[in-house]
């Protein structure tokens, strides 16, 4: 199912581009199991070639749990994907079994703060220091930082 979803995302993104719509990246959530499946990298490369989608229009969203198993293999796979031009995102940051070492060693483009930290955020909330820290850390690592679930003007203003 995961392979099909990845292929279809690439195919659909290319179809939209071919129809004249503005070229924007398409994000695909990748499970830990799918990420560790033999042939994952080859599948990505083949799907991009077959669909003629530039790698810069594919964003892979990986959760922390996908990243902390066998970090040497994970890091090398991520580096190859990054070299191919695929955009790499850490999804739902802060909700899994965190190990900050993977952030230091892996070539991520985007760090996504989980919505559970964003809901109810204000300067006086208990989640505010964590959100500030994640934003600062992401910026220091050269990542774009996205806060999921920002729904109010106050949340947006704080962020």
């Amino acid at each position: 199912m995961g392979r099909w979803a990845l292929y279809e995302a690439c195919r659909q993104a290319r179809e939209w581009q071919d129809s004249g719509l503005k070229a924007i990246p398409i994000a695909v959530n990748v499970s830990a199991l799918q990420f560790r499946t033999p042939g994952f990298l080859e599948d990505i490369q083949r799907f991009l070639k077959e669909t003629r989608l530039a790698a810069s229009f594919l964003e892979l969203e990986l959760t922390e749990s996908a990243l902390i198993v066998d970090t040497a293999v994970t890091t090398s796979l991520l580096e190859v994907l990054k070299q191919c031009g695929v955009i790499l995102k850490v999804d739902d940051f802060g909700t899994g079994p965190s190990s900050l070492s993977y952030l230091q060693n892996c070539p991520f483009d985007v760090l996504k703060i989980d919505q559970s930290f964003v809901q109810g955020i204000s300067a006086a909330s208990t989640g505010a220091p964590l959100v500030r820290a994640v934003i600062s850390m992401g910026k220091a690592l050269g990542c774009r930082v996205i806060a999921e679930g920002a729904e109010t003007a106050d949340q947006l203003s704080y962020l």
Side-chain angles (χ1 to χ4, degrees):
M1 179 69 95
R3 293 174 74 210
W4 175 85
L6 263 169
Y7 179 82
E8 282 301 307
C10 293
R11 185 197 62 73
Q12 184 62 67
R14 185 64 215 189
E15 185 177 306
W16 287 330
Q17 291 175 11
D18 289 344
S19 71
L21 294 174
K22 180 180 177 189
I24 59 171
I26 192 159
V28 180
N29 285 21
V30 176
S31 73
L33 179 62
Q34 183 179 7
F35 183 71
R36 290 192 292 271
T37 299
F40 176 75
L41 174 62
E42 293 78 10
D43 285 344
I44 297 288
Q45 292 170 326
R46 187 175 74 254
F47 297 161
L48 291 171
K49 184 177 180 179
E50 287 177 7
T51 62
R52 299 176 296 108
L53 182 69
S56 61
F57 292 108
L58 178 61
E59 298 180 349
L60 298 181
E61 297 191 2
L62 303 151
T63 61
E64 294 171 88
S65 61
L67 304 171
I68 62 170
V69 176
D70 199 351
T71 55
V73 172
T74 297
T75 301
S76 64
L77 177 56
L78 291 171
E79 286 173 353
V80 172
L81 287 166
K82 176 82 171 171
Q83 290 170 1
C84 290
V86 173
I87 305 301
L88 302 173
K89 293 181 172 182
V90 178
D91 196 19
D92 299 335
F93 182 74
T95 61
S98 295
S99 171
L100 296 179
S101 64
Y102 69 79
L103 286 179
Q104 179 180 341
N105 298 319
C106 296
F108 290 103
D109 300 291
V110 179
L111 191 60
K112 292 177 66 180
I113 303 170
D114 188 71
Q115 66 182 345
S116 63
F117 294 107
V118 177
Q119 295 172 349
I121 195 169
S122 69
S125 71
T126 57
L130 291 174
V131 171
R132 280 195 311 272
V134 172
I135 291 170
S136 294
M137 184 173 44
K139 286 182 177 181
L141 292 168
C143 295
R144 269 189 14 236
V145 180
I146 296 174
E148 293 182 315
E151 298 175 348
T152 68
D154 287 342
Q155 290 168 338
L156 179 60
S157 175
Y158 181 81
L159 292 166

